[in-house]
Structure formats: C-alpha cells, structure tokens
C-alpha cells in the first residue's frame, strides 16, 4: 500500500499522483504505521553516538532494535490523526442494538475526576476512603431500590462477568442445598451468546427454549424444555432469560414461567442488559428474578466500547443472598467497610482482585442522582418511544418479523430487500457510506438477516429522522432494481468491502517489513 500511504515527503507524494486514488483526499488521511513512516536517515533524536563505553549486555547486544525513526511533529500528527479515526457516540448516531450506545453525560466525567475519587488506591486502609465506600454503598442501595432485589455485589467487571457471578451464585446455592442432580440451565434461542457460554463455563448443560414463532418464550415452549428429561423438572438448576428479550420484546408470560421454574426448584437468572427499557417503571424482583446483572455501561450511561471498561454489578433476591460473591460494602453506625474474606461462609467467593471498576461506580451514581426517580423513569419511556417511532416509520419498507410495538429496540429483517438481491450486510455497509454506524446485524439468530436497531433516549427527533430517511432511500434503491451501488458501498471510506471471512480465518496479527 506504500503508494497510497501518507508520507511526509512531498516529492514522493507528487510522483505517485496518478496512483493516488484514495488516501489523503479532502483532508482524509490514510495513516500508515510509524514503522512505515520512519526513515533511517532522519532519526527522531540527535544524541551523539556512544564512544568508549563497553557494552555490558554481552551476547544479547543488538545493533538496531528497529524502533521507528520519526521526529516529534511526525509522532504528534500520527497519534492525533489516529485519535480522529474512532467512530463513537460523541461523533454520530450509533444504533447498535443490544449495546445501548447512549450519550455519556459529562457531569459523570467531572465527578469521576474529583481528586478524592481519582487519586485513591484500592489498598488504602478503609478509614481513609470512607467517601469512596459511601459511593459504592449508595450505588448498591440505588440498584437494590430500582431492581427490587435487596443484595448487590458491585465487583463484576462487565455484563458477561456479572453472568458468571450470578450463575456461580446459583451453583453455590444448589451445592450447599445438596442439589447435585440439578445440572441443566434453560436458555431461550434468542439469548445473547454469553448466556449459554456462562452456563457451560460453570459446568452446567444448556437446554434451549424455542421462541421462533412469536419472538417470546411461551408457557408451552417453556414447559416443554422444563419437563423434557424429568416430569417435575428436577434436573433443572435455573434459567437465564433476558427481559425485555433480544428481539426487543417484553416477556409477557414471565410471571407464570417463573412460578413453574420455582416450583421445580430452579432459580431465575435475568440478563439485565436491557434494563434501560424498564428502569423506573417496573422492578424485576417483582416478577420473580432471583439474580440479575446490570450493565452500568448500558443502562447507566458509563462509557464503553473503546471509551471505557464495563461494569456489571449483580442484584440478588433474599433467596440467593447468602451465596453471592464477596466483598460487598457494609455500613456499621456511620462507618463503611468491605466485607472480610470468609465473613459470609456460603459465599461463592471472590471474582477478582479489589472491588470492581470504581470509576464506573462514580459515573453511574452520578447519572442516577442527576436524573432522580422521575428522570430515570423518563429514560426508559423515551428509549421505548424512540424505538417505536423508528419501527412505525420503517415497517412498510422493512419486514418487522414480530407483531405489535417494541420496547427499547426494534427488529427488522432483509426479507423484502432479498427479493432484489440486497442483504442486511449491504444495508449496513450503505449506512456507513451515509455517515452512520450500522445497527446490530445478524443478531438475534432467531430470524434470518436480522437488523436490531436501538436508538436510545438520547437521540433527537432530527437524528432519528435522518436515519429513517437513509433507510427509506436504501429500500427505494433496492426496489428500483439498480443495486450495484448497494453491493459496493462504502465508497468514501479508506477501506471498502473487506473479505471478512478471510480476515477471520487468516488474521495477520504481526506487521512484517515489506510484506
Ligand atoms: C451486552 C450484553 C451482554 C454482555 O455484556 P458485556 O458487558 O458486553 O459483557 C449480555 N447480554 C445481553 C443481552 C447484552 O446485550
């Protein structure tokens, strides 16, 4: 790619002008590696060469370690340009279903940077970090209040880690109660892949509940799975259900399903990644959840993806409280402390060093307190309203596989476009051409060619209308039959269609000179 690559040498650039099809047009830089930029004749530093000093490294002495030779301005430009290449929620619409890419309020950042929070160390004596422990304690209480699940452990570092914590909690409960025959976890076919993976990591077998017809877990399908091996469901340790589910639909029969599960001695793990559709409206504890994780980085706006680490606290019902991981933050009189190792005998143990992603705890609490009870309720109402607005505007152009309104995200398929040889992938790639991050594609797996759109409550009507108009334009183009463009987008990006299969099967993870 050298003749397309950015090079600070102007002559070189001019001589390659004819080949210069893509890079460096319209202030759009093709950014090559520092190693490719460097020249051996232009060292980055001007130190005199060493004289009269004997090497003390002996055999391991190397003449040239191959570090790029670049000047300070070159380094500066390189990293500043790279920093502008990230597409993020701060740069544009990001309707990635199931991921909840919402605006991260700057107030939260300000709070997390307060010296008393940003400069402390997890090994400090607890009497010197009472304020930080209070933040964690208050966050535990807010989460308990919002979920109706009174015990909270903040340590899991992401949603999937929360799932692990929750299923370990369930496993420990069965172990202590002597239920060794319970070795099956029920998981709907629409589940996020982390659900069955977690169950298997904890040594359980998974059994699938079919949701194909209606996008929801029906009582019949649930019973079929529950009683498959044993007429009383004795082999079932629990179920993992996301509510609202990954089709963006509320599980209407959840109460009846939970009662059946509890009668069989199973526990209900609720995947709470979609809690942003319910927060402030209903409490999962009220529909029988025993343990649930919360993605602070989804529902409570803490930055994620490239922007920060996740945080996946679990909220636990009295049924499982004794078994959840430690430590939790306790309050005695006016003082806060961390639970000691082994203090709760039946705890399933520690998940990680220290106490979790503390910076995210500060941000999430800041988000909750600045919204208040009424504000959090409006968050879920507006998230649901925005998704239904998109659904209502696009359902004539795109096939919506399940009837009725949605919750915080809406699901389409490429059924209508396929007739014109246009697929979900083409639609996603065309959105990139029009300056938008695509929606989640080909997930959930229960429908073919899925497009899962989650606008979140933080988008304006203008932003939604722009997305809708681009989607309508794509549908119209497909119907016109002139689909060559749709097959070749994106055109304006530094890279166009990539061979994704080859990239996945033969990843090149190491740069070699001249390769
Ligand atoms: C995001 C998500 C997860 C996993 O959360 P991470 O923080 O990415 O580990 C699990 N289940 C569902 C439904 C999700 O959307």
């Amino acid at each position: 790619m050298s003749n397309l690559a950015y090079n600070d040498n102007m002559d070189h650039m001019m001589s390659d002008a004819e080949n210069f099809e893509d890079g460096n047009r319209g202030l759009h830089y093709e950014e090559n590696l520092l190693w490719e930029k460097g020249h051996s004749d232009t060292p980055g530093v001007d130190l005199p060469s060493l004289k009269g000093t004997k090497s003390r490294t002996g055999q391991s002495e190397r003449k040239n370690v191959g570090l790029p030779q670049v000047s300070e301005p070159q380094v500066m430009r390189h990293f500043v340009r790279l920093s502008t290449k990230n597409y993020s929620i701060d740069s544009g619409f990001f309707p990635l279903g199931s991921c909840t890419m919402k605006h991260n309020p700057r107030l939260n950042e300000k709070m997390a940077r307060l010296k008393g929070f940003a400069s402390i160390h997890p090994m400090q004596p607890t009497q010197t970090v009472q304020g930080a422990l209070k933040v964690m304690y208050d966050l535990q209480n807010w989460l308990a209040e919002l979920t109706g699940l009174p015990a909270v452990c903040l340590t899991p570092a992401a949603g999937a880690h929360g799932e692990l914590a929750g299923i370990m909690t369930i496993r420990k409960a069965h172990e202590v109660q002597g239920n060794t025959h319970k070795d099956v976890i029920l998981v709907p076919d629409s589940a996020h892949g982390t659900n069955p993976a977690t169950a298997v990591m904890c040594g359980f077998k998974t059994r699938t509940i079919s949701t194909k017809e209606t996008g929801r877990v029906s009582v019949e399908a649930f019973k079929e799975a529950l009683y498959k091996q044993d007429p009383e469901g004795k082999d079932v340790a629990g179920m993992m259900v996301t509510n609202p589910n990954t089709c963006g639909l509320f599980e209407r029969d959840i109460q009846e399903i939970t009662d059946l599960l509890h009668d069989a001695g199973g526990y209900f793990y609720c995947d709470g990644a979609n809690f942003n559709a319910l927060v402030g409206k209903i409490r999962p504890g009220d529909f029988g959840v025993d343990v649930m994780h919360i993605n602070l980085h989804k529902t409570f706006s803490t930055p994620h993806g490239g922007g920060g680490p996740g945080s996946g606290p679990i909220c636990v019902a009295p049924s499982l409280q004794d078994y959840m991981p430690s430590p939790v933050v306790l309050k005695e009189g006016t003082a806060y402390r961390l639970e000691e190792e082994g203090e709760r005998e039946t705890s399933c143990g520690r998940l990680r060093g220290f106490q979790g992603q503390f910076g995210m705890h500060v941000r999430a609490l800041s988000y909750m307190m600045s919204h208040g009870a009424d504000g959090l309720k409006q968050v879920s109402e507006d998230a649901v309203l925005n998704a239904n607005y998109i659904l209502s505007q696009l359902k004539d152009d795109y096939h919506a596989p399940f009837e009725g309104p949605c919750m915080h995200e809406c699901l389409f398929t490429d059924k209508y476009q396929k007739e014109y040889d246009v697929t979900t992938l083409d639609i996603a790639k065309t959105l990139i051409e029009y300056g938008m991050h695509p929606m989640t594609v080909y997930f959930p797996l229960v429908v073919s060619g899925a497009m899962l759109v989650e606008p979140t409550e933080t988008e304006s009507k203008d932003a939604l209308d722009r997305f809708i108009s681009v989607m309508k334009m794509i549908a119209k183009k497909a119907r016109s039959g002139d689909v060559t463009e749709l097959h070749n987008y994106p055109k304006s990006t530094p890279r166009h269609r990539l061979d994704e299969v080859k990239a996945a099967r033969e990843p090149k993870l190491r740069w070699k000179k001249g390769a």
Side-chain angles (χ1 to χ4, degrees):
M1 63 176 230
S2 64
N3 55 2
L4 296 182
Y6 182 83
N7 194 308
D8 289 334
N9 181 333
M10 228 18 207
D11 293 343
H12 173 81
M13 215 169 110
M14 300 302 279
S15 67
D16 277 338
E18 308 92 82
N19 300 332
F20 207 75
E21 285 176 354
D22 293 293
N24 303 10
R25 285 271 170 94
L27 298 182
H28 197 138
Y29 289 105
E30 175 75 43
E31 192 65 28
N32 52 5
L33 300 175
L34 272 181
W35 276 270
E36 293 168 293
K37 271 189 212 304
H39 300 278
S40 51
D41 53 341
T42 56
V45 286
D46 293 333
L47 295 176
S49 52
L50 288 177
K51 269 187 207 136
T53 316
K54 262 205 164 157
S55 166
R56 284 181 289 178
T57 49
Q59 280 198 327
S60 42
E61 183 180 8
R62 270 197 268 176
K63 287 246 153 50
N64 186 350
V65 288
L67 290 176
Q69 301 283 322
V70 277
S71 64
E72 180 170 325
Q74 282 180 305
V75 172
M76 200 66 210
R77 286 192 178 153
H78 177 67
F79 286 107
V80 168
R81 282 189 206 128
L82 285 184
S83 76
T84 63
K85 286 190 183 293
N86 261 355
Y87 188 88
S88 70
I89 189 64
D90 291 342
S91 45
F93 190 52
F94 209 138
L96 202 56
S98 209
C99 295
T100 315
M101 305 305 290
K102 63 163 89 171
H103 172 66
N104 318 124
R106 289 314 185 261
L107 174 66
N108 306 347
E109 298 305 314
K110 203 172 167 184
M111 294 302 114
R113 281 165 178 72
L114 289 175
K115 260 203 136 131
F117 294 142
S119 306
I120 54 175
H121 191 279
M123 285 171 96
Q124 266 176 253
T126 51
Q127 66 269 28
T128 69
V129 287
Q130 286 291 300
L133 290 175
K134 178 171 163 47
V135 163
M136 293 170 71
Y137 186 80
D138 287 353
L139 179 61
Q140 287 176 183
N141 284 345
W142 274 82
L143 290 173
E145 187 69 32
L146 289 167
T147 57
L149 299 165
V152 178
C153 176
L154 298 177
T155 65
H161 203 202
E163 291 176 40
L164 184 71
I167 298 299
M168 281 168 64
T169 302
I170 290 175
R171 184 176 67 183
K172 187 73 186 178
H174 284 311
E175 200 180 294
V176 172
Q177 294 158 14
N179 299 329
T180 45
H181 52 284
K182 289 195 170 293
D183 61 354
V184 173
I185 298 276
L186 307 177
V187 185
D189 49 10
S190 62
H192 196 265
T194 48
N195 290 188
T198 299
V200 170
M201 264 185 84
C202 288
F204 291 105
K205 289 180 253 180
T206 60
R207 191 178 297 152
T208 306
I209 312 167
S210 170
T211 68
K212 285 218 166 63
E213 286 82 51
T214 56
R216 294 182 168 89
V217 178
S218 69
V219 176
E220 280 62 46
F222 178 73
K223 279 183 174 168
E224 202 177 299
L226 179 64
Y227 304 127
K228 190 166 181 191
Q229 290 295 328
D230 182 278
E232 289 167 44
K234 278 187 189 148
D235 55 336
V236 173
M239 69 173 177
M240 297 180 85
V241 169
T242 312
N243 198 17
N245 66 27
T246 60
C247 301
L249 303 174
F250 189 79
E251 294 289 359
R252 289 181 191 140
D253 295 330
I254 199 68
Q255 189 68 66
E256 200 176 337
I257 288 165
T258 309
D259 290 345
L260 289 169
L261 177 77
H262 284 158
D263 288 346
Y267 290 109
F268 178 7
Y269 182 90
C270 182
D271 179 328
N274 292 340
F275 190 46
N276 58 317
L278 308 179
V279 64
K281 300 290 284 186
I282 58 169
R283 305 186 311 166
D286 295 340
F287 57 77
V289 171
D290 294 296
V291 52
M292 161 183 189
H293 82 259
I294 305 289
N295 298 62
L296 295 186
H297 49 291
K298 292 179 181 171
T299 305
F300 298 109
S301 85
T302 68
H304 62 134
S311 181
I314 56 168
C315 303
V316 183
S319 56
L320 287 175
Q321 184 165 357
D322 295 343
Y323 312 103
M324 70 177 183
S326 68
V328 297
V329 181
L330 304 170
K331 188 178 184 191
E332 278 160 5
T334 54
Y336 300 91
R337 71 174 178 89
L338 289 163
E339 200 178 29
E340 304 275 338
E341 197 86 39
E343 182 171 340
R344 198 160 24 87
E345 268 176 24
T346 52
S347 162
C348 65
R350 280 194 84 99
L351 283 171
R352 50 169 289 156
F354 307 127
Q355 284 73 251
Q357 311 284 21
F358 176 68
M360 297 303 154
H361 301 161
V362 178
R363 288 174 177 87
L365 186 64
S366 161
Y367 182 81
M368 291 171 179
M369 292 179 76
S370 54
H371 279 73
D374 55 340
L376 289 175
K377 185 162 163 249
Q378 196 182 341
V379 161
S380 55
E381 288 173 353
D382 289 353
V384 172
L385 181 65
N386 279 358
N388 277 288
Y389 178 61
I390 291 178
L391 178 63
S392 69
Q393 297 300 299
L394 289 182
K395 69 177 197 274
D396 293 335
D397 293 280
Y398 292 90
H399 171 238
F402 303 116
E403 260 181 35
C406 60
M407 294 293 283
H408 64 301
E409 54 196 356
C410 51
L411 181 61
F412 299 104
T413 82
D414 57 3
K415 189 175 173 186
Y416 301 161
Q417 285 69 39
K418 261 193 171 155
E419 290 174 32
Y420 304 96
D421 195 27
V422 171
T423 65
T424 289
L425 188 73
D426 298 324
I427 296 162
K429 297 292 185 188
T430 306
L431 282 171
I432 296 175
E433 180 65 22
Y434 283 84
M436 287 176 195
H437 196 286
M439 66 292 268
T440 289
V441 295
Y442 300 106
F443 176 82
L445 305 175
V446 285
V447 293
S448 157
M451 291 180 274
L452 188 62
V453 184
E454 179 175 11
T456 83
E457 75 284 0
T458 58
E459 291 303 333
S460 64
K461 183 167 177 294
D462 283 351
L464 302 184
D465 284 336
R466 202 175 117 60
F467 171 73
I468 289 163
S469 69
V470 173
M471 287 294 283
K472 279 186 176 295
M473 180 274 296
I474 297 172
K476 196 170 160 197
K477 250 192 178 152
R479 283 193 301 266
S480 78
D482 180 13
V483 296
T484 323
E485 268 187 329
L486 298 181
H487 287 163
N488 292 317
Y489 281 142
K491 277 290 200 193
S492 319
T493 48
R495 298 289 173 278
H496 309 152
R497 292 274 176 125
L498 304 177
D499 186 343
E500 292 177 15
V501 175
K502 191 165 182 216
R505 295 224 168 120
E506 296 169 36
K508 283 192 182 165
L509 303 177
R510 187 166 293 180
W511 177 78
K512 280 197 209 122
K513 200 171 182 132

